[in-house]
């Protein structure tokens, strides 16, 4: 983390929001919670975004320590993105945001407009895997 390109806010809540803000960052993290993915796989999961925007969001998340980019020495070269330990620590926060979004939609009688909220806490996933 020696190079910090953009100065982050001093207020912790504002800092957190700055790091995860961006049209696609939450969606990218959501898909990386399941494991590493190639750029093409992320694009297929997020057809409403452009490759340029997706790469920009991934670079910002990498800069802030949420995502790791791994380049494999293969021909042709292969690049995979994965959530770092810091990125994975956002999973319960994303779950809480998802639940709050459902509550908000319910209060405004807009539940019929929502997609399913399928983020699950990692502990629950690990318990089922055992």
């Amino acid at each position: 983390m020696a190079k910090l390109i953009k100065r982050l806010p001093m207020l912790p809540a504002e800092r957190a929001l700055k790091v995860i803000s961006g049209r696609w960052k939450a969606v990218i993290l959501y898909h990386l919670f399941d494991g590493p993915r190639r750029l093409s796989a992320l694009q297929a999961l997020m057809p409403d975004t452009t490759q340029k925007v997706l790469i920009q969001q991934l670079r910002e998340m990498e800069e802030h320590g949420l995502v790791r980019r791994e380049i494999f020495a293969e021909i042709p070269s292969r690049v995979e993105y994965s959530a770092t330990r810091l990125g994975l620590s956002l999973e319960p926060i994303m779950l809480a945001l998802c639940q709050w979004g459902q509550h908000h939609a319910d209060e405004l009688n807009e539940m019929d407009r929502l997609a399913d909220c399928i983020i699950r806490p990692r502990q629950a996933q690990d318990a089922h895997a055992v």
Side-chain angles (χ1 to χ4, degrees), residues 51-113:
Q51 182 174 351
K52 177 184 174 187
V53 170
L54 184 56
I55 290 170
Q56 177 186 2
Q57 298 276 277
L58 283 162
R59 283 185 181 154
E60 287 177 17
M61 291 169 49
E62 186 179 7
E63 176 184 329
H64 292 130
L66 304 179
V67 169
R68 176 182 311 105
R69 179 177 50 145
E70 186 173 0
I71 303 168
F72 293 87
E74 300 174 354
I75 298 176
S77 64
R78 176 171 54 109
V79 178
E80 284 186 348
Y81 295 90
S82 58
T84 62
R85 196 170 78 224
L86 185 60
L88 289 171
S89 72
L90 284 165
E91 196 169 19
I93 295 162
M94 298 293 285
L95 175 62
L97 283 171
C98 191
Q99 291 169 338
W100 188 88
Q102 288 175 322
H103 172 69
H104 182 264
D106 190 37
E107 288 290 317
L108 298 179
N109 296 316
E110 295 181 341
M111 286 296 287
D112 59 321
R113 298 181 58 216

Side-chain angles (χ1 to χ4, degrees), residues 32-43:
L32 293 181
F33 288 155
D34 287 335
R37 298 202 189 260
R38 296 176 75 167
L39 182 65
S40 58
L42 286 170
Q43 271 192 284

Side-chain angles (χ1 to χ4, degrees), residues 7 18 24 27-28 32 41 67 77-78 87 100 119:
R7 183 172 221 87
K18 179 77 173 172
W24 300 104
V27 179
I28 293 167
L32 293 181
V67 169
S77 64
R78 176 171 54 109
W100 188 88
I119 295 175

Side-chain angles (χ1 to χ4, degrees), residues 113-126:
R113 298 181 58 216
L114 289 187
D116 287 338
C117 188
I118 55 175
I119 295 175
R120 293 175 196 89
R122 187 161 302 286
Q123 293 79 13
Q125 288 177 344
D126 293 344

